[in-house]
Amino acid sequence: MKPALVGDIGGTNARFALWTEGHISSVQTLATAQFETPEVAIRHYLSSLGRVPQQIADLCLACAGPVSGEHFRFTNSHWSLSRTGLSQALELDHLLLINDFTAMALGMTRLHEQQCRVIRSGQADPNSPILVIGPGTGLGVSTLVPEPNNGWRVLPGEGGHVDLPVGSLRELALWQQLFSEFGHVRAEDVLSGRGLVRLYRAICTLDQHQAHLDTPSEISKAALAGDPVAIEVLSLFCIWLGRVAGNAVLTTGARGGVYVVGGVIPRFSDFFLASGFADSFCAKGCMSHYLEQVPAWLVTAEYPGLEGAGVALEQLLNKSA
């Protein structure tokens, strides 16, 4: 039986794995900038395993951006594809394209207890939706809805593009600085890897500091080493993420809990767990009580997006069997 291929493609990296009998294997991470198209990257991945496309029957790609229609252009990447063109080029039986945070949400259904750290304890409502939110190249947001017979349905969206909510005079001053540079200020303009850099530069401009840090990694390391400006950057980042997550729970009724995922926070996970995320998450005035018992976890699983892509593909194949 031919294995399937699954991919989790973000703005910076594309992760690929084989999916066989409900499990991933042979995981590789490729930089999207090094390949002209997804097809070229897939052929490179298969070649590195000594395989050719004809040995793969089915493919699921979890793609950053809204997925619909024949043609897809990746958000935060130069890649694009045609469903028909890719299927024919790789001689596939089935091609499934899903939003990357649809895959991430489905990946939460395969988590083990040791793959999460508690951000805030509470009592999850088993009949309510679950929120999945994660800063990476952008800010992903998705909702996992329970269905009868222990099934799950995902409501994909573009929650990273909501307006950045302001909750203090300091935040207002920084929002004004960001607005003067970018116009409309979205949540992911701050809550992403590039957002850390934007926030750092906004603070430096506002407070007349000399900016000397240029990357998210440098900012994270400086904060953990005690740099006061970098500490404020991470602190505000965590507070803003809590506020955006709390807003999303109010909107979707996701009292089944919140999973925080993505590639940014693992750089400073201990700092994050001790941050103002939990307080800002609940600070909703007269509706604060609605969020008091909603638990939140930081996901430490290595490849939840690939796992979720495999789950999505398996569901498709089971339906068509």
Side-chain angles (χ1 to χ4, degrees):
M1 185 175 179
K2 293 181 180 179
L5 177 64
V6 293
D8 179 17
I9 303 174
T12 305
N13 294 313
R15 296 175 178 85
F16 296 105
L18 300 179
W19 176 265
T20 310
E21 297 182 352
H23 299 282
I24 59 171
S25 63
S26 303
V27 177
Q28 288 186 25
T29 301
L30 306 178
T32 55
Q34 295 180 4
F35 299 90
E36 185 178 353
T37 65
E39 180 191 337
V40 174
I42 289 168
R43 289 183 182 278
H44 174 87
Y45 167 75
L46 292 174
S47 175
S48 73
L49 301 180
R51 293 178 178 268
V52 294
Q54 291 77 10
Q55 295 174 296
I56 300 296
D58 309 300
L59 169 63
C60 177
L61 293 181
C63 309
V67 178
S68 64
E70 166 66 17
H71 298 279
F72 179 80
R73 180 168 295 279
F74 291 78
T75 302
N76 299 320
S77 168
H78 68 283
W79 279 6
S80 63
L81 61 82
S82 155
R83 291 177 191 259
T84 302
L86 186 62
S87 292
Q88 292 177 347
L90 298 179
E91 301 180 36
L92 298 170
D93 293 336
H94 299 92
L95 170 62
L96 176 62
L97 300 184
I98 60 175
N99 176 264
D100 61 335
F101 255 72
T102 295
M104 186 66 76
L106 288 171
M108 300 303 98
T109 67
R110 293 173 61 90
L111 287 180
H112 303 294
E113 187 175 345
Q114 63 269 28
Q115 294 177 310
C116 295
R117 298 179 68 182
V118 176
I119 303 169
R120 64 187 313 271
S121 57
Q123 187 63 48
D125 180 349
N127 299 313
S128 292
I130 293 170
L131 179 73
V132 184
I133 185 168
T137 303
L139 177 65
V141 182
S142 200
T143 309
L144 193 59
V145 181
E147 291 196 317
N149 302 318
N150 298 315
W152 294 93
R153 180 165 55 100
V154 179
L155 303 180
E158 292 298 320
H161 297 275
V162 300
D163 298 336
L164 183 70
V166 174
S168 70
L169 293 177
R170 176 63 167 172
E171 291 177 17
L172 175 60
L174 289 167
W175 181 91
Q176 289 173 320
Q177 178 61 40
L178 292 165
F179 180 79
S180 69
E181 297 180 38
F182 304 112
H184 178 229
V185 184
R186 306 165 299 166
E188 80 166 32
D189 288 331
V190 167
L191 299 175
S192 60
R194 289 178 294 186
L196 279 175
V197 179
R198 292 189 185 107
L199 184 53
Y200 170 74
R201 290 174 178 167
I203 290 173
C204 288
T205 299
L206 194 64
D207 296 344
Q208 298 182 331
H209 296 304
Q210 180 65 43
H212 61 280
L213 304 173
D214 298 315
T215 67
S217 178
E218 288 177 1
I219 293 167
S220 302
K221 289 178 181 177
L224 299 180
D227 181 286
V229 178
I231 288 173
E232 184 181 13
V233 172
L234 292 199
S235 296
L236 285 169
F237 180 96
C238 297
I239 289 169
W240 252 314
L241 183 60
R243 187 171 295 120
V244 170
N247 286 352
V249 170
L250 288 178
T251 301
T252 61
R255 293 205 280 182
V258 176
Y259 287 106
V260 178
V261 299
V264 173
I265 291 174
R267 298 191 185 109
F268 51 90
S269 55
D270 289 337
F271 182 104
F272 175 74
L273 292 173
S275 74
F277 173 93
D279 288 340
S280 64
F281 175 81
C282 284
K284 301 300 178 187
C286 66
M287 289 304 294
S288 295
H289 67 279
Y290 187 88
L291 298 150
E292 284 176 356
Q293 289 301 311
V294 179
W297 304 274
L298 176 62
V299 175
T300 58
E302 199 167 10
Y303 303 114
L306 288 174
E307 295 274 4
V311 171
L313 184 58
E314 204 165 74
Q315 289 179 347
L316 173 69
L317 296 178
N318 288 340
K319 287 180 182 178
S320 60

